[in-house]
Structure formats: C-alpha cells, structure tokens
Amino acid sequence: MTSSGQPRIQWLGRWGFMLAATGSAVGLGNIWKFPYITGEYGGGAFVLVYLACIFAVGVPVMMTEISFGRRGRGSPIDAIRRVVNESGRSSAWSLIGWMAMLCGFMVLSFYVVVAGWSFSYLWKMLSGGLAAGSVDDIAAVFGANNANPVNLGFWSTLVTLLTMVIVGKGVQEGIEKSVSWMMPGLVLMLVLLIVFGVFSGGFGEAVSFLFSFNVGSLSSEGMLAALGHAFFTLSLASGAILTYGSYLPKEASIGRTTVSVAVADTVVALMAGLAIFPVIFANGMDPGEGPGLIFMSLPLAFQAMPLGTLFGILFFLMLSMAALTSSISMVEATVSWLCDNKGMSRQSASWGTGTILWLISTLAMLSFNLGADWTLAGKTVFDWLDYLTSRWMMPLGGLGMVVVAGFVLKSELFREELGLPPLAYALWLMMVRYVSPLGILIIFVDALGVYPVSFAAHWPWLLAMLVAMAVVGEALSPRLRQALTSD
Ligand code: PFF
C-alpha cells in the first residue's frame, strides 16, 4: 500500500519487470563507459575484476535491492524504512535510501549529456554529418560537437524532456514496450559490428586486449573503477532497481530474474568491447582515448562497411533508446517518492524533478565547453558527478544494503522474500554477509592508499582470505544452520 492507501501499481505481464530492469541495466554504461574505462585501465585485468565484481557483489546486491523494494513496496526511502521497522530496527537505516535517490539523480544529470551525444550522432548519421573522413576528421567532429554549448545543450535538454514525458506517463505504458524490440535490435547491431571487426583486422589484438589477464597491470584505482562500474552497469544503489522491484508481483522469482539481467548486461558489455576495440586497433587509435572513444571509433567502422550509413543510423537509434530506458529508471525513485509522500501527481512530480535535473545537467554539459576550466582537483562538474556516484556513493550504498540485509534484519524476512531453496539461500546469505561487504571494503581501503601494501598486487591471497572468512564465519553462524535445515 502507498501512503495514500492505494494498492501499489504492479508490472503488467510476466515479463514487465524483467524488461524494465534489463532496460535500466543495459545502456550507455555497457556501450559507452565499459569500453572506454577498459581502455583506460589497460584491458584484461580490469575486465576480470569487473566480472568478479558483477557476480560476487553485483548479483547479491541486486537481489537484496529487489527484495527491499518488493517487501517495502515503495521508493527506496520508504521501502527500506518499512522493512527495517518490520524487524524492529531503527528508521535511520533509510538514510541508505536517501543516498540512493540522490545518487540516481546525480547520475542522470551527467548521463543526459552522454545520451545527448548519442542523439546528436544519430542526427549526424541521418544528415550526412559523419560522411567519410579520416581518423582525425572523425575525432574533430566529436570535439566540435562538444565545443558549442548551444548545440550540446539542445541535445541534453531533448533527452531530459523525453525522459520526463515517459516517466510522467506512468510505469506500465512508458517503460515496458520499447525494451522488447530495442534490446534484440541492439544485440543484432553489435553482432554486425563484431563480424565487421573480424574481417577488418584488429580483431585478434582486441580479443587479447580484453581477455589476456596480466596481474601486473592491475591497479588499486582500476579495481575501484571496476567495482564502481559493476554497480553502475547494473543500476545498483541508485534507487532504480529497488523502485522497479517495488512494482514486482509476489510470485516472481527474484533470484532467477537477477541472474538473467546480470548475464544479459554482461554479454552486451563484452559484445560492445568486441565491437569497438578491433576498430581502435585497426586504425592505430589509443584505447585510453577517454569518454569520446566510441564516438571517435564507430563512425570509422560505419563508413567502411557496406550499407554503413543505414547500420550507423540503426545503431545510434538503438543506443539512444537504450540510454532512455536507463534514464527513466533513474528518476523513477524520486518521482515515486514525491507521489507517495508529497501527494503530487506523476505529471507534476516528473516536471518538478525534470526542472532541477535540467539545471544540474546544464552545469555538467558546460564542462565540455564554457565550464571546462571550472575544476576542483582537476575534475570538472561532469567528472565529479561521475566520480562521486560510481566510485563512492554506489559501492557505499550497496555496502549499507548488504549489511542491513545480512546482519540487521530478522533472518526469516528475506528468506521469505527471496523464496530460494535452502542451499541457494545459504549462498546468498554468505555473499551478503561476507564476500560482498569485505570485497567492497578491501577495494575501498586499497584505493584510499591507507594500507601500506597494495591489495591489487596480492589478489590471490585476498581471494583465499575472503573465502576462508566466509566459510568460518558461516560455520559459526546459527543463521546458516537454520537456513540449511528449514525450508
Ligand atoms: N545501468 C545503466 C547503464 O549501464 O547505462 C546506468 C544506470 C541506470 C545507473 C540506472 C544507475 C541507475 F540508477
């Protein structure tokens, strides 16, 4: 029930949540951010830590978030408060929900700028603005696109408007429909680019860059980036998944849904890597080019392949749609909170949120032109929004959630909510009590540099230590015995 006494709306159809959660997870994070940070942090070692973070931290956190949402039936703040109160614990834990809501909002304020890039490239493809050019010409197009604040502002404002229109329309109508055709379309475009990459040279180099693992190239900074990106790409600790979970019907399986979303998300990211790096290597570009990486490389592939303009149009169309289905999930928490607590209609909650968002996103947009010098510690507004959210707020929010789920709540609560068989539940419990929190803490401590030895260089020992702690901790835990002996 919401505070207005109405039963909370639920997803339409069996696939509603699945589609929406996949739509939220798969977005610019997979196709824009994953390749460029993989390039910056040196390839294979980063990819390996990222995959470990997805499955050892991301999946358990996602299951926890969905459970909070469905059990508490509300925005992150309300849902967490209700669930902890049900166990007789302090409402102060709902601060985690506040941080998540703020985080989703902050992410969106830089995300619309990148989504704006995608829309503007769609337009360039349609209008011939990316017609044949050298590596330098294509790079110059990206630079020119950013240099003009009116142009860039137009595209990010368009994304903000579209997001708010869809969110204002309501959960079922706005969100579910597009994902079912857009996602397969996007995958098809990536397959096409990968096939092109195989024949264009640079594919072998791309595969070895992405998958050959060299321990020496792991850095503490890279490990934190991988952890943060696991949260970012799965839309965790930003209110999105939790709020979507609050619309999930009782009978749906949280475990199965989570694993499917995480696998789909990971496959799309790896495919994006396999699509982009061959172009980078075949053209002698720098994989550590930074945020412009896909916008500087993919147009080169499209101009060289048969029917390239058509495929380019389809690609940027799908990417823009993928960005929108993620954007709408980031404001859903705030809008849902305003509707439930402040008695606002969906329409006014969306437009109110959109206005504030537009102001902050304008500052982020200006980081690429007029405000390029407004820096603090070398970071622009755009950089700070990205850095604070994915490196710190998301992992901290995730840590808070697993700690509450693993140690603060009554044990039967999530057992009931997750409905897992005893062994699977025991595994989830072990992950949320030991593996996920310790993994997050270790990466934090390492990144802060307060410990004299670099953890990154000693990861096999760390892994062994984590497993040992989890096993010993759980062997001593009456909760585990209870989980295994009752069904
Ligand atoms: N997961 C999205 C992506 O990979 O593009 C980004 C995102 C969506 C982050 C929703 C946070 C969020 F709440």
Side-chain angles (χ1 to χ4, degrees):
M1 291 274 168
T2 60
S3 53
S4 53
Q6 298 292 312
R8 199 165 175 80
I9 38 173
Q10 298 198 350
W11 296 107
L12 288 178
R14 213 158 77 81
W15 295 102
F17 173 81
M18 181 78 178
L19 290 174
T22 311
S24 170
V26 176
L28 296 166
N30 307 62
I31 293 169
W32 160 73
K33 200 172 186 190
F34 172 74
Y36 104 71
I37 51 176
T38 301
E40 279 184 345
Y41 290 105
F46 174 87
V47 174
L48 192 79
V49 179
Y50 158 78
L51 291 176
C53 288
I54 290 276
F55 291 99
V57 182
V59 167
V61 170
M62 192 186 245
M63 288 171 70
T64 307
E65 268 202 49
I66 302 174
S67 307
F68 267 119
R70 186 166 73 179
R71 186 81 183 188
R73 292 274 183 231
S75 67
I77 301 165
D78 297 329
I80 296 178
R81 196 192 55 245
R82 285 189 196 121
V83 175
V84 287
N85 286 350
E86 205 185 330
S87 285
R89 298 310 177 109
S90 158
S91 298
W93 289 109
S94 64
L95 272 176
I96 301 170
W98 280 102
M99 185 164 80
M101 209 163 89
L102 178 69
C103 183
F105 193 84
M106 285 168 67
V107 171
L108 188 54
S109 39
F110 76 87
Y111 202 84
V112 293
V113 179
V114 185
W117 288 342
S118 176
F119 275 84
S120 71
Y121 269 63
L122 171 61
W123 175 247
K124 285 184 204 309
M125 276 285 172
L126 282 165
S127 62
L130 283 170
S134 65
V135 174
D136 290 341
D137 294 338
I138 299 290
V141 171
F142 185 69
N145 197 41
N146 285 341
N148 180 346
V150 177
N151 170 59
L152 204 57
F154 167 80
W155 293 109
S156 52
T157 304
L158 180 73
V159 177
T160 310
L161 280 173
L162 285 173
T163 305
M164 294 311 159
V165 168
I166 303 174
V167 173
K169 272 180 70 184
V171 184
Q172 292 94 339
E173 292 156 76
I175 300 168
E176 287 169 37
K177 288 178 195 148
S178 61
V179 183
S180 54
W181 60 267
M182 182 214 59
M183 209 56 70
L186 192 63
V187 168
L188 207 70
M189 287 299 117
L190 290 173
V191 169
L192 198 86
L193 282 164
I194 295 173
V195 171
F196 173 78
V198 171
F199 293 106
S200 70
F203 191 74
E205 214 176 326
V207 170
S208 79
F209 179 73
L210 283 170
F211 301 113
S212 67
F213 172 55
N214 169 9
V215 185
S217 62
L218 258 184
S219 68
S220 309
E221 181 63 23
M223 279 176 56
L224 183 62
L227 174 73
H229 189 62
F231 277 91
F232 185 88
T233 194
L234 294 178
S235 309
L236 300 177
S238 344
I241 291 294
L242 194 153
T243 313
Y244 277 6
S246 75
Y247 308 125
L248 185 67
K250 239 357 224 180
E251 42 314 331
S253 155
I254 293 180
R256 223 172 306 140
T257 318
T258 301
V259 172
S260 319
V261 174
V263 169
D265 187 81
T266 308
V267 168
V268 174
L270 294 177
M271 285 179 78
L274 285 174
I276 285 152
F277 284 108
V279 187
I280 304 282
F281 293 121
N283 289 285
M285 297 169 73
D286 173 15
E289 182 64 57
L293 193 70
I294 68 159
F295 297 99
M296 297 183 187
S297 56
L298 289 183
L300 292 170
F302 290 125
Q303 76 183 13
M305 65 169 69
L307 296 179
T309 307
L310 175 69
F311 292 133
I313 291 170
L314 288 174
F315 176 84
F316 284 110
L317 178 70
M318 307 281 175
L319 183 63
S320 305
M321 300 278 305
L324 269 183
T325 54
S326 300
S327 302
I328 52 185
S329 72
M330 293 177 214
V331 263
E332 185 58 34
T334 309
V335 169
S336 155
W337 183 79
L338 287 171
C339 293
D340 290 352
N341 293 279
K342 303 285 164 206
M344 290 171 88
S345 69
R346 261 194 100 76
Q347 286 288 344
S348 34
S350 312
W351 291 112
T353 313
T355 310
I356 301 173
L357 179 82
W358 182 79
L359 293 172
I360 303 175
S361 70
T362 301
L363 288 178
M365 180 277 288
L366 291 176
S367 299
F368 292 94
N369 36 68
L370 299 179
D373 296 333
W374 308 341
T375 56
L376 189 71
K379 287 185 169 50
T380 60
V381 176
F382 181 97
D383 298 336
W384 271 110
L385 287 166
D386 182 9
Y387 178 77
L388 280 179
T389 49
S390 32
R391 302 289 162 90
W392 300 99
M393 292 169 80
M394 289 180 181
L396 270 179
L399 180 65
M401 276 190 241
V402 286
V403 166
V404 174
F407 297 100
V408 176
L409 297 180
K410 287 202 178 115
S411 83
E412 54 295 355
L413 217 101
F414 271 16
R415 179 133 50 92
E416 223 175 278
E417 207 50 52
L418 288 165
L420 292 170
L423 206 61
Y425 174 72
L427 183 68
W428 170 81
L429 196 59
M430 195 165 100
M431 300 301 267
V432 298
R433 299 186 97 189
Y434 303 97
V435 181
S436 312
L438 287 174
I440 297 173
L441 277 177
I442 285 174
I443 293 181
F444 267 149
V445 171
D446 196 25
L448 286 172
V450 285
Y451 190 75
V453 182
S454 162
F455 286 137
H458 297 90
W459 66 272
W461 294 110
L462 277 176
L463 207 67
M465 196 178 83
L466 269 186
V467 173
M469 282 176 78
V471 171
V472 173
E474 281 308 287
L476 300 175
S477 154
R479 213 167 165 180
L480 178 82
R481 250 167 280 135
Q482 191 191 357
L484 283 172
T485 48
S486 57
D487 30 348

